[in-house]
Amino acid sequence: FLSAVAQRGVSSATVHAHARAVRSFVRFAHEEGWIDEPVTVKMPRLEEKRMEVLSPEEVKRVLGVCGTRDRALVMTLIDSGLRRGEVLALDWDDIDLRTGMVHVRRGKGGKARVTYVGAKTRRALLRWGGGQRSSAIFPLTPSGGATMMAKLSSKSGVHITFHKCRRTFATWALRNGMDLLSLQRLVAVRA
């Protein structure tokens, strides 16, 4: 059965999902006494999904089509490793534009942490914020943010998402010599 599913050209994740369903049903059938002997279902291998990151050239292409707000947002994402909800929840009081320290008060699980942004990102934030210190730095809803990313992807020809920016931050940080423990603290991932 599973080889027939696999031959249809579906993804390994789909084949694996079918295998899990068959395995659960066979276990249930044995527990209910419908079959006498337990049957083992050999689980197919899942292909390892390669997590995509942006190259420096792709980031330049995206930034080339950005307006002031979008440029500040993309630079903040790539420079800090913030999640979508975290960056959209940032207030001007959460960021020290002199030092680059960013206080993430509404992190995943309600945990607060600190991360940083560099001088170029701070300049982009200043250009975006100017003198208007409203509370939210990026007054966007999550769906508004997704729409913005879709427009940037379309204009630049580079597929960009909030999470892809987060993975880009982590990958670039490791490539530039950051140790894993420090990176985990910045992006709030449990060791």
Side-chain angles (χ1 to χ4, degrees), residues 25-36:
F25 179 74
V26 169
R27 283 182 185 162
F28 172 77
H30 175 67
E31 289 169 3
E32 292 295 315
W34 297 347
I35 55 176
D36 296 327

Side-chain angles (χ1 to χ4, degrees), residues 32-44:
E32 292 295 315
W34 297 347
I35 55 176
D36 296 327
E37 295 293 318
V39 177
T40 57
V41 176
K42 186 177 182 223
M43 296 301 288

Side-chain angles (χ1 to χ4, degrees), residues 7-73:
Q7 289 174 354
R8 289 186 177 169
V10 296
S11 72
S12 67
T14 300
V15 175
H16 202 269
H18 280 80
R20 286 192 313 271
V22 169
R23 183 179 61 186
S24 294
F25 179 74
V26 169
R27 283 182 185 162
F28 172 77
H30 175 67
E31 289 169 3
E32 292 295 315
W34 297 347
I35 55 176
D36 296 327
E37 295 293 318
V39 177
T40 57
V41 176
K42 186 177 182 223
M43 296 301 288
R45 283 203 148 185
L46 271 172
E47 293 173 9
E48 276 194 41
K49 199 172 183 182
R50 189 158 183 258
M51 303 305 269
E52 294 182 22
V53 297
L54 298 166
S55 69
E57 296 76 27
E58 289 173 322
V59 171
K60 285 179 188 170
R61 282 179 29 206
V62 170
L63 293 176
V65 300
C66 285
T68 311
R69 179 204 62 192
D70 298 350
R71 181 179 189 83
L73 178 57

Side-chain angles (χ1 to χ4, degrees), residues 73 83-90 136-142 145 162:
L73 178 57
R83 294 176 178 90
R84 176 184 64 188
E86 294 169 342
V87 76
L88 296 181
L90 283 179
I137 295 176
F138 304 107
L140 288 167
T141 62
F162 284 92

Side-chain angles (χ1 to χ4, degrees), residues 55-142:
S55 69
E57 296 76 27
E58 289 173 322
V59 171
K60 285 179 188 170
R61 282 179 29 206
V62 170
L63 293 176
V65 300
C66 285
T68 311
R69 179 204 62 192
D70 298 350
R71 181 179 189 83
L73 178 57
V74 170
M75 289 180 74
T76 301
L77 288 166
I78 292 174
D79 210 14
S80 65
L82 294 175
R83 294 176 178 90
R84 176 184 64 188
E86 294 169 342
V87 76
L88 296 181
L90 283 179
D91 291 338
W92 284 105
D93 293 338
D94 295 332
I95 186 163
D96 185 335
L97 292 170
R98 288 179 301 111
T99 64
M101 184 182 289
V102 180
H103 295 276
V104 183
R105 299 182 200 289
R106 293 166 220 141
K108 190 171 185 178
K111 294 185 180 172
R113 70 177 192 283
V114 172
T115 189
Y116 299 88
V117 292
K120 289 181 182 178
T121 299
R122 293 194 308 264
R123 282 192 294 273
L125 285 165
L126 281 170
R127 276 192 289 280
W128 160 240
Q132 76 170 44
R133 294 285 183 162
S134 67
S135 63
I137 295 176
F138 304 107
L140 288 167
T141 62

